[in-house]
Coordinates of all heavy atoms in Angstrom, one line a residue:
M26 N -92.2 43.1 20.9 CA -93.1 42.0 21.3 C -93.5 42.2 22.8 O -92.7 42.4 23.7 CB -92.3 40.6 21.2 CG -93.2 39.5 21.4 SD -92.4 38.0 20.8 CE -92.5 37.0 22.2
S27 N -94.8 42.1 23.0 CA -95.3 42.4 24.3 C -95.3 41.1 25.1 O -95.5 40.0 24.6 CB -96.8 42.9 24.1 OG -97.3 43.1 25.4
M28 N -95.2 41.2 26.4 CA -95.3 40.1 27.3 C -96.7 39.7 27.6 O -97.6 40.6 27.6 CB -94.7 40.4 28.7 CG -93.2 40.4 28.7 SD -92.7 40.6 30.4 CE -91.6 42.0 30.2
S29 N -97.0 38.5 27.9 CA -98.3 38.1 28.3 C -98.7 38.6 29.7 O -97.8 38.9 30.5 CB -98.5 36.5 28.2 OG -97.8 35.9 29.3
Q30 N -99.9 38.5 30.0 CA -100.4 38.9 31.3 C -99.7 38.0 32.4 O -99.3 38.5 33.4 CB -101.9 38.7 31.4 CG -102.5 38.9 32.8 CD -104.0 38.6 32.8 OE1 -104.7 39.2 32.0 NE2 -104.5 37.8 33.7
G31 N -99.6 36.7 32.1 CA -99.0 35.8 33.1 C -97.6 36.1 33.3 O -97.1 36.0 34.4
E32 N -96.8 36.4 32.2 CA -95.4 36.7 32.3 C -95.2 38.0 33.2 O -94.3 38.0 34.0 CB -94.8 36.9 30.9 CG -94.7 35.7 30.1 CD -94.3 36.0 28.7 OE1 -94.8 36.9 28.1 OE2 -93.4 35.2 28.2
K33 N -96.1 38.9 33.0 CA -96.0 40.2 33.8 C -96.3 39.9 35.2 O -95.5 40.4 36.1 CB -96.9 41.2 33.2 CG -96.4 41.9 31.9 CD -97.3 43.0 31.5 CE -96.7 43.8 30.3 NZ -97.5 44.9 30.0
L34 N -97.3 39.1 35.5 CA -97.6 38.8 36.9 C -96.5 38.1 37.6 O -96.1 38.3 38.7 CB -98.9 38.0 37.0 CG -100.2 38.7 36.7 CD1 -101.3 37.8 36.6 CD2 -100.5 39.8 37.7
R35 N -95.9 37.1 36.8 CA -94.7 36.4 37.4 C -93.6 37.3 37.7 O -92.9 37.2 38.7 CB -94.3 35.3 36.4 CG -93.5 34.2 36.9 CD -93.3 33.1 35.9 NE -94.5 32.6 35.3 CZ -94.9 32.8 34.0 NH1 -94.1 33.4 33.2 NH2 -96.0 32.3 33.6
L36 N -93.2 38.2 36.8 CA -92.1 39.2 37.0 C -92.4 40.0 38.3 O -91.5 40.3 39.0 CB -91.9 40.0 35.8 CG -91.2 39.4 34.6 CD1 -91.2 40.3 33.4 CD2 -89.8 39.0 35.0
I37 N -93.6 40.5 38.4 CA -94.0 41.3 39.6 C -93.7 40.5 40.8 O -93.1 40.9 41.8 CB -95.4 41.8 39.5 CG1 -95.5 42.9 38.4 CG2 -95.9 42.3 40.8 CD1 -97.0 43.2 38.0
R38 N -94.2 39.2 40.8 CA -94.1 38.4 42.0 C -92.6 38.1 42.3 O -92.2 38.2 43.5 CB -94.9 37.1 41.8 CG -94.9 36.2 43.0 CD -95.8 35.0 42.8 NE -95.5 34.2 41.6 CZ -94.6 33.2 41.6 NH1 -93.8 33.0 42.6 NH2 -94.4 32.5 40.5
F39 N -91.8 37.8 41.3 CA -90.4 37.5 41.5 C -89.7 38.7 42.0 O -88.9 38.6 42.9 CB -89.7 37.0 40.2 CG -90.1 35.6 39.8 CD1 -89.8 35.2 38.5 CD2 -90.7 34.7 40.6 CE1 -90.1 33.9 38.1 CE2 -91.0 33.4 40.2 CZ -90.7 33.0 38.9
S40 N -90.0 39.9 41.5 CA -89.4 41.1 41.9 C -89.7 41.5 43.4 O -88.9 42.0 44.0 CB -89.8 42.3 41.0 OG -89.3 42.2 39.7
E41 N -90.9 41.1 43.8 CA -91.2 41.3 45.2 C -90.8 40.1 46.1 O -91.0 40.1 47.3 CB -92.7 41.5 45.3 CG -93.2 42.8 44.7 CD -92.7 44.0 45.4 OE1 -92.7 44.0 46.7 OE2 -92.3 44.9 44.7
Q42 N -90.1 39.1 45.5 CA -89.6 38.0 46.2 C -90.6 37.2 47.0 O -90.5 36.9 48.2 CB -88.4 38.4 47.1 CG -87.3 39.0 46.3 CD -86.1 39.4 47.2 OE1 -86.2 39.5 48.4 NE2 -85.0 39.6 46.5
L43 N -91.7 37.0 46.3 CA -92.9 36.2 46.9 C -93.1 34.9 46.2 O -92.9 34.9 45.0 CB -94.1 37.1 46.9 CG -94.2 38.4 47.6 CD1 -95.4 39.2 47.2 CD2 -94.2 38.1 49.1
N44 N -93.5 33.9 46.9 CA -94.0 32.7 46.2 C -95.5 32.9 46.0 O -96.1 33.9 46.5 CB -93.7 31.4 46.9 CG -94.4 31.3 48.3 OD1 -95.5 31.7 48.5 ND2 -93.6 30.8 49.3
K45 N -96.2 32.1 45.2 CA -97.6 32.3 44.9 C -98.5 32.3 46.1 O -99.4 33.1 46.2 CB -98.0 31.2 43.9 CG -97.5 31.4 42.5 CD -98.1 30.3 41.6 CE -97.3 30.3 40.3 NZ -97.7 29.1 39.5
K46 N -98.2 31.4 47.0 CA -99.0 31.3 48.3 C -98.9 32.7 49.1 O -99.9 33.2 49.5 CB -98.5 30.2 49.1 CG -99.2 30.0 50.4 CD -100.6 29.4 50.3 CE -101.2 29.1 51.6 NZ -102.5 29.7 51.8
E47 N -97.7 33.2 49.2 CA -97.5 34.5 49.9 C -98.3 35.6 49.2 O -99.0 36.4 49.9 CB -96.1 34.8 50.0 CG -95.3 33.9 50.9 CD -93.8 34.1 50.8 OE1 -93.3 34.5 49.7 OE2 -93.1 33.8 51.8
L48 N -98.2 35.6 47.9 CA -98.9 36.7 47.2 C -100.4 36.5 47.3 O -101.1 37.5 47.6 CB -98.5 36.7 45.7 CG -99.0 37.8 44.9 CD1 -98.0 38.4 44.0 CD2 -100.3 37.4 44.1
T49 N -100.9 35.3 47.1 CA -102.4 35.2 47.1 C -102.9 35.4 48.5 O -104.0 35.9 48.7 CB -102.8 33.8 46.6 OG1 -102.2 32.7 47.4 CG2 -102.5 33.6 45.1
D50 N -102.2 35.1 49.6 CA -102.6 35.4 50.9 C -102.6 36.9 51.1 O -103.5 37.4 51.8 CB -101.7 34.7 52.0 CG -101.9 33.2 52.1 OD1 -102.9 32.7 51.5 OD2 -101.0 32.6 52.7
L51 N -101.6 37.6 50.6 CA -101.5 39.0 50.8 C -102.7 39.8 50.1 O -103.2 40.7 50.7 CB -100.2 39.5 50.2 CG -99.7 40.9 50.4 CD1 -99.5 41.1 51.9 CD2 -98.4 41.2 49.7
I52 N -103.0 39.3 48.9 CA -104.1 40.1 48.1 C -105.5 39.4 48.3 O -106.4 40.0 47.7 CB -103.7 40.2 46.7 CG1 -103.5 38.9 46.0 CG2 -102.4 41.1 46.5 CD1 -103.4 39.0 44.5
E53 N -105.5 38.3 48.9 CA -106.8 37.6 49.2 C -107.5 37.2 47.9 O -108.6 37.4 47.6 CB -107.7 38.4 50.0 CG -107.1 38.7 51.4 CD -108.0 39.6 52.3 OE1 -109.0 40.1 51.8 OE2 -107.7 39.7 53.5
V54 N -106.7 36.5 47.0 CA -107.2 35.9 45.8 C -106.9 34.4 45.9 O -105.8 34.0 46.4 CB -106.5 36.5 44.5 CG1 -106.8 35.7 43.3 CG2 -106.9 38.0 44.3
N55 N -107.8 33.6 45.5 CA -107.7 32.2 45.5 C -106.4 31.7 44.8 O -106.1 32.2 43.7 CB -108.9 31.5 44.9 CG -108.9 30.0 44.8 OD1 -108.3 29.5 43.9 ND2 -109.5 29.4 45.8
Y56 N -105.7 30.8 45.4 CA -104.4 30.3 44.9 C -104.6 29.7 43.5 O -103.8 30.1 42.6 CB -103.8 29.3 45.8 CG -102.5 28.7 45.3 CD1 -101.3 29.3 45.6 CD2 -102.5 27.6 44.5 CE1 -100.1 28.8 45.1 CE2 -101.3 27.1 44.0 CZ -100.1 27.7 44.3 OH -98.9 27.2 43.8
T57 N -105.5 28.9 43.3 CA -105.8 28.2 42.0 C -106.1 29.2 40.9 O -105.7 29.1 39.8 CB -106.9 27.1 42.1 OG1 -106.5 26.2 43.2 CG2 -107.1 26.4 40.8
T58 N -106.9 30.2 41.3 CA -107.3 31.2 40.4 C -106.1 32.0 39.9 O -105.9 32.2 38.7 CB -108.3 32.2 41.0 OG1 -109.5 31.4 41.4 CG2 -108.7 33.3 40.1
Y59 N -105.3 32.4 40.9 CA -104.1 33.2 40.5 C -103.1 32.3 39.7 O -102.5 32.8 38.8 CB -103.4 33.7 41.8 CG -102.1 34.5 41.5 CD1 -102.3 35.8 41.1 CD2 -100.9 33.9 41.4 CE1 -101.1 36.6 40.7 CE2 -99.8 34.6 41.0 CZ -99.9 35.9 40.7 OH -98.8 36.6 40.3
H60 N -103.0 31.1 40.1 CA -102.1 30.2 39.3 C -102.5 30.2 37.8 O -101.7 30.2 36.9 CB -102.2 28.8 39.9 CG -101.3 27.8 39.2 ND1 -100.0 27.7 39.3 CD2 -101.7 26.8 38.3 CE1 -99.5 26.7 38.6 NE2 -100.5 26.1 38.0
G61 N -103.8 30.1 37.6 CA -104.3 30.2 36.2 C -103.9 31.5 35.5 O -103.6 31.5 34.3
Y62 N -104.0 32.6 36.2 CA -103.6 33.9 35.6 C -102.1 33.9 35.2 O -101.7 34.3 34.1 CB -103.8 35.0 36.6 CG -105.2 35.3 37.1 CD1 -105.4 36.0 38.3 CD2 -106.3 34.9 36.4 CE1 -106.6 36.2 38.8 CE2 -107.6 35.2 36.9 CZ -107.7 35.8 38.1 OH -109.0 36.1 38.5
E63 N -101.2 33.4 36.1 CA -99.8 33.4 35.9 C -99.4 32.5 34.7 O -98.4 32.7 34.1 CB -99.0 33.0 37.1 CG -98.2 34.2 37.7 CD -97.2 33.8 38.7 OE1 -96.5 32.8 38.6 OE2 -97.2 34.5 39.7
N64 N -100.2 31.4 34.6 CA -99.9 30.4 33.5 C -100.7 30.7 32.3 O -100.7 29.8 31.4 CB -100.1 29.0 34.1 CG -99.0 28.6 35.1 OD1 -97.9 28.7 34.8 ND2 -99.5 28.4 36.3
D65 N -101.3 31.8 32.2 CA -102.1 32.2 31.0 C -103.2 31.2 30.7 O -103.5 31.1 29.5 CB -101.2 32.5 29.8 CG -100.3 33.7 30.0 OD1 -100.9 34.8 30.4 OD2 -99.1 33.7 29.7
K66 N -103.7 30.6 31.7 CA -104.8 29.6 31.5 C -106.2 30.4 31.5 O -107.2 29.9 31.0 CB -104.8 28.5 32.6 CG -103.6 27.7 32.6 CD -103.6 26.7 31.5 CE -102.3 25.8 31.6 NZ -102.1 25.1 30.4
S67 N -106.2 31.5 32.2 CA -107.4 32.3 32.3 C -107.0 33.8 32.4 O -105.9 34.1 32.8 CB -108.2 31.9 33.5 OG -107.5 32.1 34.7
R68 N -107.9 34.7 32.0 CA -107.6 36.1 32.1 C -108.0 36.6 33.4 O -109.0 36.2 34.0 CB -108.5 36.9 31.0 CG -108.2 36.4 29.6 CD -106.8 36.9 29.0 NE -106.8 38.3 28.9 CZ -105.7 39.0 28.8 NH1 -104.6 38.4 28.7 NH2 -105.7 40.3 28.7
M69 N -107.2 37.6 33.9 CA -107.5 38.1 35.2 C -108.8 38.9 35.2 O -109.0 39.7 34.3 CB -106.3 39.0 35.6 CG -106.4 39.5 37.0 SD -104.9 40.3 37.7 CE -104.3 41.2 36.3
T70 N -109.6 38.8 36.3 CA -110.8 39.5 36.4 C -110.5 40.9 36.9 O -109.5 41.2 37.4 CB -111.8 38.9 37.4 OG1 -111.2 38.9 38.7 CG2 -112.1 37.4 37.0
L71 N -111.5 41.8 36.7 CA -111.3 43.2 37.2 C -111.2 43.2 38.7 O -110.4 43.9 39.3 CB -112.5 44.1 36.8 CG -112.5 45.5 37.3 CD1 -111.3 46.2 36.8 CD2 -113.8 46.2 36.8
D72 N -112.0 42.3 39.4 CA -111.9 42.3 40.9 C -110.5 41.9 41.3 O -109.9 42.4 42.3 CB -112.9 41.3 41.4 CG -114.3 41.8 41.4 OD1 -114.5 43.0 41.3 OD2 -115.2 41.0 41.5
S73 N -109.9 40.9 40.6 CA -108.5 40.5 41.0 C -107.5 41.6 40.7 O -106.6 41.8 41.5 CB -108.1 39.2 40.2 OG -108.9 38.1 40.7
A74 N -107.7 42.3 39.6 CA -106.7 43.4 39.2 C -106.8 44.5 40.3 O -105.8 45.0 40.7 CB -107.1 43.9 37.9
I75 N -108.0 44.7 40.8 CA -108.2 45.8 41.8 C -107.5 45.3 43.1 O -106.9 46.1 43.8 CB -109.7 46.1 42.0 CG1 -110.2 46.8 40.8 CG2 -109.9 46.9 43.3 CD1 -111.7 47.0 40.7
K76 N -107.7 44.0 43.4 CA -107.0 43.5 44.6 C -105.5 43.6 44.5 O -104.8 44.0 45.5 CB -107.4 42.1 44.9 CG -108.8 42.0 45.4 CD -109.2 40.5 45.7 CE -110.6 40.4 46.3 NZ -110.9 39.0 46.6
I77 N -105.0 43.3 43.4 CA -103.5 43.3 43.2 C -103.0 44.7 43.2 O -102.1 45.1 44.0 CB -103.1 42.6 41.9 CG1 -103.4 41.1 42.0 CG2 -101.6 42.8 41.6 CD1 -103.2 40.3 40.7
F78 N -103.5 45.5 42.2 CA -102.9 46.9 42.1 C -103.4 47.9 43.0 O -102.9 49.0 43.1 CB -103.0 47.3 40.6 CG -102.3 46.4 39.7 CD1 -103.0 45.5 38.8 CD2 -100.9 46.3 39.7 CE1 -102.3 44.6 38.0 CE2 -100.2 45.4 38.9 CZ -100.9 44.6 38.1
G79 N -104.5 47.5 43.8 CA -104.9 48.4 44.9 C -104.1 48.2 46.1 O -104.2 49.0 47.0
H80 N -103.4 47.1 46.2 CA -102.5 46.9 47.3 C -101.3 47.8 47.3 O -100.7 47.9 46.2 CB -102.1 45.4 47.3 CG -101.4 45.0 48.6 ND1 -100.1 45.3 48.9 CD2 -101.9 44.3 49.7 CE1 -99.8 44.8 50.1 NE2 -100.9 44.2 50.6
P81 N -100.9 48.4 48.4 CA -99.8 49.4 48.3 C -98.5 48.8 47.8 O -97.7 49.5 47.2 CB -99.7 49.8 49.8 CG -101.0 49.5 50.4 CD -101.6 48.3 49.7
R82 N -98.3 47.5 48.0 CA -97.0 46.9 47.6 C -97.0 46.8 46.0 O -95.9 46.7 45.5 CB -96.9 45.5 48.2 CG -95.6 44.8 48.0 CD -95.4 43.7 48.9 NE -94.1 43.0 48.7 CZ -93.7 42.1 49.5 NH1 -94.4 41.6 50.5 NH2 -92.6 41.5 49.2
F83 N -98.1 46.7 45.4 CA -98.1 46.4 43.9 C -98.6 47.6 43.1 O -98.5 47.5 41.9 CB -98.9 45.2 43.6 CG -98.5 44.0 44.4 CD1 -99.3 43.5 45.4 CD2 -97.3 43.4 44.2 CE1 -98.9 42.4 46.2 CE2 -96.9 42.3 44.9 CZ -97.7 41.8 45.9
H84 N -99.0 48.6 43.7 CA -99.6 49.8 43.0 C -98.5 50.4 42.0 O -98.8 50.8 40.9 CB -100.0 50.9 43.9 CG -100.6 52.1 43.3 ND1 -101.8 52.1 42.7 CD2 -100.0 53.3 43.0 CE1 -102.0 53.3 42.1 NE2 -100.9 54.0 42.3
K85 N -97.3 50.3 42.4 CA -96.2 50.9 41.6 C -96.0 50.2 40.2 O -95.4 50.8 39.3 CB -94.9 50.8 42.4 CG -94.4 49.4 42.7 CD -93.3 49.3 43.7 CE -93.0 47.9 44.2 NZ -92.2 47.9 45.4
Y86 N -96.6 49.0 40.0 CA -96.5 48.3 38.7 C -97.7 48.5 37.8 O -97.7 48.0 36.7 CB -96.3 46.8 39.0 CG -95.1 46.5 39.9 CD1 -95.3 45.8 41.1 CD2 -93.8 46.8 39.5 CE1 -94.2 45.5 41.9 CE2 -92.7 46.5 40.3 CZ -92.9 45.8 41.5 OH -91.9 45.5 42.3
Q87 N -98.6 49.2 38.3 CA -99.9 49.3 37.5 C -99.7 49.8 36.1 O -100.3 49.2 35.2 CB -100.9 50.3 38.3 CG -102.2 50.4 37.7 CD -103.1 51.3 38.5 OE1 -103.0 51.3 39.7 NE2 -103.9 52.1 37.9
D88 N -99.1 51.0 35.9 CA -98.9 51.5 34.5 C -98.1 50.6 33.7 O -98.4 50.4 32.5 CB -98.2 52.9 34.6 CG -99.2 54.0 34.9 OD1 -100.4 53.7 35.2 OD2 -98.8 55.1 35.0
W89 N -97.1 49.9 34.2 CA -96.3 49.0 33.4 C -97.1 47.8 33.0 O -97.1 47.4 31.9 CB -95.1 48.5 34.3 CG -94.3 47.4 33.6 CD1 -93.4 47.6 32.5 CD2 -94.3 46.0 33.8 NE1 -92.9 46.4 32.2 CE2 -93.5 45.4 32.9 CE3 -95.0 45.3 34.7 CZ2 -93.3 44.0 32.9 CZ3 -94.9 43.9 34.7 CH2 -94.0 43.3 33.8
F90 N -97.9 47.3 34.0 CA -98.7 46.1 33.7 C -99.8 46.4 32.6 O -99.9 45.7 31.6 CB -99.4 45.6 34.9 CG -100.2 44.3 34.7 CD1 -99.6 43.1 34.8 CD2 -101.6 44.4 34.4 CE1 -100.3 41.9 34.5 CE2 -102.3 43.3 34.2 CZ -101.7 42.0 34.3
L91 N -100.4 47.5 32.7 CA -101.6 47.9 31.8 C -101.1 48.5 30.5 O -101.7 48.2 29.5 CB -102.5 48.8 32.5 CG -103.3 48.3 33.7 CD1 -104.1 49.4 34.4 CD2 -104.3 47.2 33.2
Y92 N -100.1 49.3 30.6 CA -99.8 50.2 29.4 C -98.3 50.0 28.9 O -98.0 50.7 27.9 CB -100.0 51.6 29.7 CG -101.4 51.9 30.3 CD1 -101.5 52.4 31.6 CD2 -102.5 51.7 29.6 CE1 -102.8 52.6 32.2 CE2 -103.8 51.9 30.1 CZ -103.9 52.4 31.4 OH -105.1 52.6 32.0
D93 N -97.5 49.2 29.5 CA -96.1 49.0 29.1 C -95.4 50.4 29.2 O -94.5 50.7 28.4 CB -96.0 48.4 27.7 CG -96.3 47.0 27.7 OD1 -96.0 46.3 28.6 OD2 -96.9 46.5 26.7
R94 N -95.7 51.1 30.2 CA -94.9 52.4 30.4 C -94.6 52.6 31.9 O -95.3 52.0 32.8 CB -95.7 53.6 29.9 CG -97.0 53.9 30.6 CD -97.7 55.1 30.1 NE -98.9 55.4 30.9 CZ -100.0 55.7 30.4 NH1 -100.2 55.9 29.1 NH2 -101.0 56.0 31.1
T95 N -93.6 53.4 32.2 CA -93.3 53.7 33.5 C -93.2 55.2 33.7 O -93.1 56.0 32.7 CB -91.9 53.1 33.9 OG1 -90.9 53.6 33.0 CG2 -91.9 51.6 33.8
D96 N -93.3 55.7 34.9 CA -93.1 57.1 35.2 C -92.6 57.2 36.7 O -93.4 57.3 37.6 CB -94.5 57.8 35.1 CG -94.3 59.3 35.3 OD1 -93.2 59.8 35.6 OD2 -95.3 60.0 35.0
P97 N -91.3 57.0 36.8 CA -90.7 57.0 38.2 C -91.0 58.2 39.0 O -91.2 58.1 40.2 CB -89.2 56.9 37.9 CG -89.1 56.2 36.5 CD -90.3 56.8 35.8
A98 N -91.2 59.3 38.4 CA -91.5 60.5 39.1 C -92.9 60.4 39.8 O -93.1 61.0 40.8 CB -91.6 61.8 38.2
K99 N -93.8 59.6 39.3 CA -95.1 59.3 39.9 C -95.1 58.0 40.6 O -96.2 57.5 41.0 CB -96.1 59.3 38.8 CG -96.3 60.7 38.2 CD -97.4 60.7 37.2 CE -97.6 62.1 36.6 NZ -98.6 62.1 35.5
G100 N -93.9 57.4 40.8 CA -93.9 56.1 41.5 C -94.2 54.9 40.7 O -94.4 53.8 41.2
Q101 N -94.4 55.0 39.4 CA -94.7 53.9 38.5 C -93.5 53.3 37.9 O -92.8 54.0 37.1 CB -95.7 54.4 37.4 CG -97.1 54.8 38.0 CD -97.8 53.6 38.5 OE1 -98.0 52.6 37.8 NE2 -98.1 53.6 39.8
I102 N -93.2 52.1 38.2 CA -91.9 51.4 37.7 C -92.2 50.1 37.1 O -93.4 49.6 37.2 CB -90.9 51.3 38.9 CG1 -91.5 50.3 40.0 CG2 -90.5 52.6 39.5 CD1 -90.6 49.9 41.1
A103 N -91.2 49.5 36.5 CA -91.3 48.1 36.0 C -90.6 47.3 37.0 O -89.8 47.7 37.8 CB -90.6 48.0 34.6
P104 N -91.0 46.0 37.1 CA -90.3 45.1 38.0 C -88.8 45.0 37.7 O -88.4 45.2 36.6 CB -91.0 43.7 37.7 CG -92.3 44.0 37.1 CD -92.1 45.3 36.3
A105 N -88.0 44.9 38.7 CA -86.6 44.9 38.6 C -86.1 43.8 37.6 O -85.1 44.0 36.9 CB -85.9 44.6 39.9
L106 N -86.8 42.7 37.4 CA -86.4 41.6 36.6 C -86.9 41.8 35.1 O -86.6 41.0 34.3 CB -86.9 40.3 37.1 CG -86.4 40.0 38.6 CD1 -87.1 38.8 39.1 CD2 -84.9 39.9 38.6
A107 N -87.7 42.8 34.9 CA -88.3 42.9 33.5 C -87.4 43.3 32.4 O -87.6 43.1 31.3 CB -89.5 44.0 33.6
H108 N -86.2 44.0 32.8 CA -85.3 44.5 31.8 C -86.1 45.4 30.8 O -85.8 45.3 29.6 CB -84.6 43.4 31.1 CG -83.8 42.5 32.0 ND1 -82.7 42.9 32.7 CD2 -84.0 41.2 32.4 CE1 -82.3 41.9 33.5 NE2 -83.1 40.9 33.3
Y109 N -86.9 46.2 31.3 CA -87.8 47.0 30.4 C -87.0 48.2 30.0 O -86.5 49.0 30.8 CB -89.0 47.4 31.3 CG -90.0 48.3 30.5 CD1 -90.8 47.8 29.5 CD2 -90.1 49.7 30.9 CE1 -91.6 48.7 28.8 CE2 -91.0 50.5 30.2 CZ -91.8 50.0 29.2 OH -92.6 50.8 28.6
M110 N -86.9 48.4 28.7 CA -86.2 49.5 28.1 C -87.1 50.3 27.1 O -87.2 49.9 26.0 CB -84.9 49.0 27.4 CG -84.0 48.4 28.4 SD -82.4 48.0 27.6 CE -81.6 47.1 28.8
P111 N -87.8 51.3 27.6 CA -88.8 52.0 26.7 C -88.2 52.7 25.5 O -88.9 52.9 24.5 CB -89.4 53.0 27.7 CG -88.5 53.2 28.8 CD -87.7 51.9 28.9
D112 N -86.9 53.0 25.5 CA -86.3 53.7 24.4 C -85.9 52.7 23.3 O -85.6 53.1 22.2 CB -85.0 54.4 24.8 CG -85.3 55.6 25.8 OD1 -86.4 56.1 25.7 OD2 -84.5 55.9 26.6
E113 N -85.9 51.4 23.5 CA -85.6 50.5 22.5 C -86.9 49.9 21.9 O -87.8 49.4 22.5 CB -84.8 49.3 23.1 CG -83.4 49.7 23.5 CD -82.6 48.5 23.9 OE1 -83.0 47.4 23.6 OE2 -81.5 48.7 24.5
S114 N -87.0 50.0 20.5 CA -88.2 49.5 19.9 C -87.9 48.3 19.0 O -88.8 47.7 18.4 CB -88.8 50.7 19.0 OG -87.8 51.1 18.1
T115 N -86.6 48.0 18.9 CA -86.3 46.8 18.1 C -85.4 45.9 18.9 O -84.7 46.3 19.8 CB -85.6 47.2 16.8 OG1 -84.4 47.9 17.1 CG2 -86.4 48.0 15.9
S116 N -85.4 44.6 18.5 CA -84.6 43.6 19.1 C -83.5 43.1 18.2 O -83.7 43.1 17.0 CB -85.4 42.5 19.6 OG -84.6 41.4 20.1
S117 N -82.4 42.7 18.7 CA -81.3 42.2 17.9 C -81.6 40.7 17.5 O -80.8 40.2 16.7 CB -80.0 42.3 18.6 OG -80.0 41.6 19.8
R118 N -82.6 40.1 18.0 CA -82.9 38.7 17.7 C -83.7 38.6 16.5 O -84.5 39.3 16.0 CB -83.7 38.1 18.9 CG -82.9 38.0 20.1 CD -83.7 37.3 21.2 NE -82.9 37.4 22.4 CZ -83.3 36.8 23.5 NH1 -84.4 36.2 23.6 NH2 -82.6 36.9 24.6

């Protein structure tokens, strides 16, 4: 089961130990707009995605966010809180 866009954004923010205001100030995206993204009220625009993943602090999550994959050798990781395990394809639930 895949995570929603909002869930992924929230995990990234939590992993970076930022509140929404700190993150939106850092990437220069309107707070209310970002809040809608995190709560799955609206889909993230391309401009916002470029602002987030173009920022050096968040570039490392780009492949995980877009494709559900990581490549640590290329600096592409999952957020620390994601518990992302690419080798597992089934859940015990």
Side-chain angles (χ1 to χ4, degrees):
M26 185 165 128
S27 179
M28 280 189 236
S29 73
Q30 172 183 311
E32 291 171 316
K33 286 184 170 186
L34 288 171
R35 196 172 311 108
L36 284 173
I37 289 169
R38 184 172 58 80
F39 288 165
S40 290
E41 292 295 316
Q42 299 179 344
L43 296 169
N44 63 41
K45 286 180 192 171
K46 177 75 171 125
E47 291 168 331
L48 186 138
T49 57
D50 287 349
L51 190 63
I52 61 171
E53 299 179 350
V54 169
N55 178 278
Y56 178 91
T57 304
T58 300
Y59 181 82
H60 180 76
Y62 299 156
E63 247 193 46
N64 289 301
D65 291 313
K66 301 283 184 195
S67 59
R68 301 289 293 166
M69 187 167 40
T70 65
L71 178 59
D72 286 341
S73 292
I75 290 169
K76 285 181 178 183
I77 293 171
F78 298 110
H80 190 282
R82 187 165 179 176
F83 306 109
H84 180 76
K85 61 191 170 197
Y86 303 119
Q87 181 178 327
D88 282 359
W89 174 79
F90 184 84
L91 293 172
Y92 310 114
D93 286 324
R94 68 178 181 222
T95 61
D96 189 349
K99 293 182 179 176
Q101 292 294 303
I102 62 171
L106 304 172
H108 303 292
Y109 179 70
M110 298 187 185
D112 294 332
E113 291 187 14
S114 58
T115 60
S116 172
S117 60
R118 293 183 187 182

